[in-house]
Amino acid sequence: MNAKLPDEPSGPRRNRHGRGRRGPLVPMHLPAYRNRPERFDDAVMASAQRLAERWESRMMKIDFLIEPVPSDALLSRAEGAGERVPLSSSRSATAHERAQITIFRLPLEQLASSPVELVDLVHQCVVHEVSELWMIPVSEVDPEYFPEDPDF
């Protein structure tokens, strides 16, 4: 008689319906473990943290939001002005609300040709919006990233 012990696995483990493996297919330490929106969130967070190293007290007063696409009002305003689809937007602080920067994920993902370029575009948008909120030049917000670029 060839009986198996209860603590030995009896083959590949399946989910409760018997159709697939239990658990994640990709280990957590590999980049493919995170999906596109999560990687985009990471890029925005990294950009904000990079600026916080230089402007810690001022960056703490800004809320960052990530939206899939711009609102209809923002799109119609851009269309009326003859501009392209907005990649980001900002709102100044008021007496009751903090300053806010919104980054739009899908337009940036469509514009970028690679994941590295997407991270660069996200940082450019964050720096540009911070520059507009604080009314200072882009090269002053992040001089290491934009050392000689007065036109951005």
Side-chain angles (χ1 to χ4, degrees):
M1 201 176 331
N2 201 2
K4 289 190 176 189
L5 298 174
D7 58 351
E8 287 183 11
S10 61
R13 299 191 65 185
R14 302 217 175 252
N15 67 7
R16 68 180 201 197
H17 298 290
R19 291 191 277 270
R21 296 190 57 83
R22 287 183 187 233
L25 295 176
V26 178
M28 290 174 61
H29 67 279
L30 294 178
Y33 180 74
R34 302 194 41 90
N35 60 25
R36 275 191 348 208
E38 289 171 337
R39 287 192 302 265
F40 189 85
D41 295 352
D42 292 343
V44 173
M45 174 89 66
S47 179
Q49 286 175 344
R50 177 180 176 155
L51 293 179
E53 290 173 7
R54 180 176 165 94
W55 306 94
E56 184 174 358
S57 61
R58 293 182 80 177
M59 287 299 290
M60 293 303 214
K61 299 175 184 174
I62 300 175
D63 290 334
F64 287 87
L65 297 174
I66 299 170
E67 296 288 331
V69 293
S71 66
D72 290 337
L74 217 60
L75 286 172
S76 62
R77 193 176 337 150
E79 185 180 352
E83 298 174 353
R84 64 178 185 195
V85 173
L87 305 176
S88 59
S89 70
S90 59
R91 188 189 70 208
S92 299
T94 64
H96 303 288
E97 294 181 343
R98 295 165 41 108
Q100 178 178 308
I101 293 177
T102 306
I103 307 294
F104 303 114
R105 183 175 60 85
L106 293 176
L108 281 167
E109 284 180 343
Q110 290 175 351
L111 191 61
S113 59
S114 70
V116 174
E117 186 179 357
L118 179 62
V119 171
D120 285 342
L121 284 172
V122 165
H123 188 65
Q124 288 176 7
C125 288
V126 169
V127 169
H128 183 262
E129 295 301 332
V130 167
S131 164
E132 285 192 3
L133 280 176
W134 296 344
M135 292 184 255
I136 60 175
V138 171
S139 59
E140 193 175 322
V141 173
D142 191 356
E144 295 172 4
Y145 197 76
F146 298 99
E148 303 281 331
D149 194 6
D151 294 333
F152 183 76

